[in-house]
Amino acid sequence: MSAATSERRIAVIAAGLSNPSSTRMLADRLSAATVAALAEQGITASVDVFELRDHAHDVTNNLLTGFAAPALESMVNAVVSADALIAVTPIFSTSYSGLFKSFIDIVDPDALTGMPVLIGANAGTARHSLAIDYAIRPLFAYLHAEPVPTGVFAASSDWGAGADEVAPLGSRIERGARELAEAIARRDVAEVTDPYDPAHYLGEGRSFGHLLGGLADE
C-alpha cells in the first residue's frame, strides 16, 4: 500500500479539567475537520483522543519517579508514533495549563521532531487569544515539531447560538484542519514501533544478553 493511500494516525491531547469541557469540544471539532480534509485527498485517518485529566495522577507520579504507569506509557507511545498531533489546552494565567505542560515534560524532547501539530486553545475571553503564538507555539518549536500556521482559539462567546455569524470559529477550524491535512499528506506514513521490542530502548541489534554481559557487541 502506498504512502498516499495508507491510513494515517492522528493523536489528540485535550488538557481540559472539567467533564464535559469546551477544550474537548474544540479538540473533537478540530479532529473531525482534519479527517474530513484528509478524506478530500483520498486519505483515511484514525483518531486517538486522550483527555489528560484521566492521566493526571500518573503524569505527576512520572515526574516524581521517572516511571510511567502502563496506561500513561501506552498514551505517550500513541502520541509520539502518530502521523500528526492536535494539542488543545485551556489558557490559565495567560498561558497553557500546568497539566498540559506537565505532560509535555514527560515526553522525550526529540520524540516530536518533524511532527505536524495543530494547536488549539480556549479561554473565557478573546483577550487570551495571543497565548497561542507567544506561549504554545514556541513550546512546540523548541521540541522541533512543525506547528501549522493557523492556531485555533475559542472564547466562551464562540460557543453560543449564532456565534459563527460574529466570530467565525468554524472557518478557523476548517483552515487549521486543512493546513494540518496538507502537512500530513506531504509526509511518509509514520512507522509503528513496538515499545516492548528490546531494540526500541536498547538499540538495534542488542538484547538483554548484552546488558547481562553474555554477548559481546559486534
Side-chain angles (χ1 to χ4, degrees), residues 22-23 25-31 33-34 86-91 117-123 128-133 136-137 147-155 158-159 164 167-180:
S22 54
T23 302
M25 289 169 57
L26 179 58
D28 287 343
R29 289 189 61 178
L30 290 171
S31 59
T34 302
I86 296 174
V88 187
T89 177
I91 301 301
V117 179
L118 174 54
I119 299 170
N122 63 286
H128 296 291
S129 60
L130 291 178
I132 286 180
D133 290 321
I136 309 173
R137 192 177 297 279
V148 299
T150 298
V152 181
F153 178 86
D158 286 311
W159 300 108
D164 274 354
L169 176 61
S171 64
R172 300 198 300 274
I173 288 174
E174 183 178 345
R175 184 168 65 248
R178 192 170 299 280
E179 291 173 0
L180 184 64

Side-chain angles (χ1 to χ4, degrees), residues 20 22 36 42 49-51 58 66 70-72 90-92 102 114 138 143 146 154 159 165 169 179 192 195 206 209:
S22 54
V49 182
F50 302 101
E51 293 215 47
D58 287 342
L72 179 60
I91 301 301
F92 297 150
S102 293
L143 296 172
E146 297 183 0
W159 300 108
E165 298 176 6
L169 176 61
E179 291 173 0
V192 180
R206 293 174 61 82

Side-chain angles (χ1 to χ4, degrees), residues 32-171:
T34 302
V35 170
L38 284 168
E40 292 178 1
Q41 302 184 51
I43 299 173
T44 59
S46 61
V47 177
D48 292 313
V49 182
F50 302 101
E51 293 215 47
L52 297 187
R53 65 186 299 274
D54 296 335
H55 301 272
H57 292 293
D58 287 342
V59 169
T60 300
N61 290 335
N62 194 166
L63 289 170
L64 294 173
T65 67
F67 294 97
L72 179 60
E73 182 179 30
S74 177
M75 180 180 73
V76 171
N77 287 332
V79 169
V80 301
S81 66
D83 292 285
L85 173 65
I86 296 174
V88 187
T89 177
I91 301 301
F92 297 150
S93 301
T94 73
S95 188
Y96 38 70
S97 72
L99 179 57
F100 182 84
K101 181 57 163 59
S102 293
F103 174 75
I104 295 298
D105 284 343
I106 68 173
V107 175
D108 187 301
D110 297 320
L112 300 181
T113 297
M115 181 178 291
V117 179
L118 174 54
I119 299 170
N122 63 286
T125 88
R127 291 180 298 172
H128 296 291
S129 60
L130 291 178
I132 286 180
D133 290 321
Y134 70 67
I136 309 173
R137 192 177 297 279
L139 175 63
F140 284 105
Y142 171 78
L143 296 172
H144 303 292
E146 297 183 0
V148 299
T150 298
V152 181
F153 178 86
S156 296
S157 58
D158 286 311
W159 300 108
D164 274 354
E165 298 176 6
V166 180
L169 176 61
S171 64

